[in-house]
Amino acid sequence: MRRADRRGDHGVPAQHHGLRGARAVPTPATRRRDRPRSPHRIETFRRTAGTMRALVFHGRGDLRLEDRSVPTPAAGELLLEVHAVGVCGTDAHEFASGPHLVPLASRHEVTGHVGPLIPGHELTGRVVDAGAGVVGFRAGTVVACGAGISCGTCDRCLAGRTNLCRRYATVGLQRHGGLAQYCAVPAEICLDADGYGLSEDLAALAQPMSIAVHAFRRGQARPDVPVAVVGVGGIGAFLTFTAAERGEVTVVDLDPGRLDVASGLGATTVCRPGESAALGPVFPVVFEVTGTAGGLTTALDLLAPGGRLVLVGLHDTHRPVDLTRASLRELELVGTNAHVVTADLPESLRLLGTRRTSWADIAPTALSLDRVVDDALRPMIDGGSRVIKALVDPWADAPARRDWRRSDQPGVGGVPRRAADQSSGKKNAFDVGGVGLCTSSQRTGSVPSLTKPCVEFTPVHTMSPARTHTRSPSSVPIASPASRK
Ligand SMILES: [Zn+2]
Ligand SMILES: [Zn+2]
């Protein structure tokens, strides 16, 4: 067991930051006048016609690289030139055993989509065009997209729980998403990342960070109590960072490399499951992020009487739980699902901007579209993933290193740190498990497959990909029929 010698690198004093409230208070950084201008700066809205490169989901194990028409933003929508997209367990779940959430065969009742779909719900990009009625966005603005779309009028939305909306839909699952060079998204689920001092690279982490912010809010942890996080996958890493700003956080994982990452994210104590038993049931709030039987056992063993267990990881099967013990100890088991865009996304952007060091330990590279299946999805499905978060640059022709820091920090663009656990040889934090779905799965009640919310480290070859559209043969099957499941 190791106790970290510092309180993390948020760059701000450890203090409560309002996460427990119904609304987090955003604190946008002042925009620096001397920030380097992007070579792709867009000064005015422009109609963007022609074709774009996109990955298209046609069914289980069937993702194809295709040329598609650039979408036209409808009323209330922005057209984004996509800068980066995260790939997560939800995408792997659809690819491996879907369709679960994607309306391939029957029309979606909210979005109206039916048929093959462009995935990608963790996206960021620059505004290049806007539909009628959009206010508050200018051309060239870097935005983070929350992906989840709610109706705003049902009882749950009116209660502030838009993630449980009766007419919920998600960009990249029920309408075309960001694994393409352009993507049209509702303006109301986008936030101006420039206002928080975030670079395009950093804004790409906003959606999964927002999922973690929501999970943390569900824990209702008081600032003066220690919390525990079991499992350092994608959401677990962001959750560790979120919790570390507020106070003491103990992180449990099987993988020493991931424990190193947790220390770098501000964990005060890190340990393996066997070591955590010595701690005893001392944590008023525990986050179980692995979705595994072992992780659940560890989490329950750490939970103090009267404590709250937040079930972040989704389990692929029913788990036996000692409900007598839960009753006698007055334990609370709490669920968490997706995020509330208006409350969690601003806090996510604020948190991302507080880290003084690079986020390259979480996401060292950006993949090209043609590497998504082999370098992101399959390692996730097979349990061989070694990086925390896989990101994709739809404009890249080869995997490229990225440096995920604030845009106003010196040295942006330098060589990032090594991959989180590149040398550890460990496959996964827990050997059997579920997947950290970061989008709503409530509409189907489906169960996840044996996938992990983390992906493979990929050797890099290109430092700065030319942002040009290299035409590819239309409709290239990425997954051969023999490899489909
Ligand atoms: Zn609603
Ligand atoms: Zn996701």
Side-chain angles (χ1 to χ4, degrees):
M1 193 176 305
R2 289 173 278 162
R3 187 160 182 90
D5 57 0
R6 59 197 174 95
R7 288 295 304 274
D9 52 5
H10 287 276
V12 295
Q15 60 184 12
H16 177 60
H17 51 67
L19 273 178
R20 287 182 301 136
R23 288 286 187 273
V25 180
T27 54
T30 303
R31 184 181 171 85
R32 286 172 59 106
R33 290 197 179 89
D34 58 348
R35 185 179 304 163
R37 290 166 65 91
S38 162
H40 313 293
R41 191 166 187 82
I42 302 147
E43 301 292 354
T44 57
F45 286 147
R46 65 167 192 245
R47 292 274 95 87
T48 304
T51 60
M52 64 178 185
R53 202 162 40 176
L55 267 187
V56 184
F57 178 67
H58 285 261
R60 184 174 305 178
D62 186 1
L63 263 177
R64 305 177 196 175
L65 187 58
E66 299 180 355
D67 281 344
R68 286 273 178 139
S69 297
V70 174
T72 301
E77 292 184 353
L78 301 172
L79 179 66
L80 304 183
E81 180 189 274
V82 178
H83 179 75
V85 195
V87 178
C88 80
T90 305
D91 304 306
H93 184 42
E94 289 293 317
F95 179 74
S97 57
H100 300 289
L101 303 172
V102 176
L104 280 185
S106 56
R107 192 169 298 280
H108 191 263
E109 61 179 349
V110 176
T111 66
H113 181 94
V114 62
L117 180 131
I118 301 169
H121 56 272
E122 303 180 357
L123 71 148
T124 183
R126 284 186 184 271
V127 175
V128 294
D129 197 4
V134 172
V135 294
F137 292 92
R138 55 183 173 71
T141 301
V142 176
V143 301
C145 177
I149 306 167
S150 53
C151 75
T153 59
C154 73
D155 54 338
R156 296 170 187 168
C157 283
L158 293 176
R161 306 187 75 166
T162 55
N163 57 327
L164 302 178
C165 172
R166 294 182 185 276
R167 290 174 55 79
Y168 198 79
T170 302
V171 171
L173 286 171
Q174 285 96 29
R175 55 177 284 167
H176 289 310
L179 280 169
Q181 291 173 319
Y182 294 93
C183 182
V185 294
E188 65 182 13
I189 60 168
C190 293
L191 270 187
D192 178 351
D194 280 337
Y196 292 80
L198 303 189
S199 66
E200 286 176 306
D201 284 351
L202 199 44
L205 303 177
Q207 200 270 0
M209 172 63 94
S210 189
I211 304 302
V213 167
H214 183 74
F216 188 75
R217 283 206 298 132
R218 294 288 294 153
Q220 300 178 39
R222 297 202 318 266
D224 58 338
V225 303
V227 305
V229 174
V230 180
V232 194
I235 302 301
F238 292 119
L239 192 51
T240 297
F241 189 78
T242 303
E245 187 190 57
R246 180 207 52 85
E248 288 194 21
V249 54
T250 293
V251 172
V252 185
D253 200 296
L254 282 170
D255 188 327
R258 295 193 172 217
L259 292 178
D260 286 345
V261 172
S263 294
L265 291 167
T268 40
T269 303
V270 296
C271 59
R272 292 166 59 85
E275 299 169 321
S276 70
L279 297 173
V282 297
F283 295 93
V285 181
V286 178
F287 300 90
E288 202 297 297
V289 198
T290 72
T292 68
L296 182 60
T297 298
T298 297
L300 284 167
D301 287 345
L302 293 172
L303 192 61
R308 183 175 296 110
L309 174 63
V310 183
L311 300 164
V312 185
L314 295 186
H315 295 254
D316 64 306
T317 185
H318 293 182
R319 304 285 187 208
V321 175
D322 186 345
L323 293 178
T324 299
R325 185 171 86 155
S327 291
L328 296 178
R329 295 190 176 199
E330 295 193 347
L331 304 181
E332 296 180 30
L333 306 183
V334 176
T336 181
N337 179 46
H339 64 151
V340 175
V341 171
T342 54
D344 300 319
L345 194 58
E347 177 63 7
S348 161
L349 291 173
R350 186 194 69 78
L351 275 168
L352 285 171
T354 61
R355 194 177 190 195
R356 285 182 171 168
T357 55
S358 167
W359 286 89
D361 51 350
I362 304 299
T365 61
L367 301 169
S368 51
L369 284 173
D370 60 350
R371 301 307 305 166
V372 169
V373 171
D374 287 341
D375 294 347
L377 294 173
R378 291 207 184 283
M380 214 181 297
I381 293 163
D382 297 340
S385 303
R386 286 187 291 175
V387 297
I388 302 284
K389 171 56 68 179
L391 287 160
V392 179
D393 179 353
W395 295 84
D397 293 318
R401 283 190 187 275
R402 287 295 177 77
D403 196 357
W404 319 91
R405 278 184 278 190
R406 287 179 62 100
S407 55
D408 53 0
Q409 286 181 332
V412 171
V415 178
R417 289 193 278 169
R418 67 175 174 84
D421 50 357
Q422 184 182 353
S423 59
S424 72
K426 295 290 183 181
K427 294 182 71 174
N428 283 290
F430 287 81
D431 54 357
V432 178
V435 54
L437 301 188
C438 79
T439 55
S440 174
S441 57
Q442 59 176 320
R443 300 187 67 81
T444 64
S446 58
V447 295
S449 58
L450 296 174
T451 55
K452 306 296 186 298
C454 45
V455 298
E456 187 77 52
F457 174 82
T458 303
V460 295
H461 307 290
T462 305
M463 294 301 291
S464 53
R467 204 170 182 78
T468 54
H469 178 182
T470 302
R471 290 188 60 85
S472 303
S474 182
S475 192
V476 178
I478 300 297
S480 64
S483 65
R484 292 177 195 167
K485 295 184 178 177

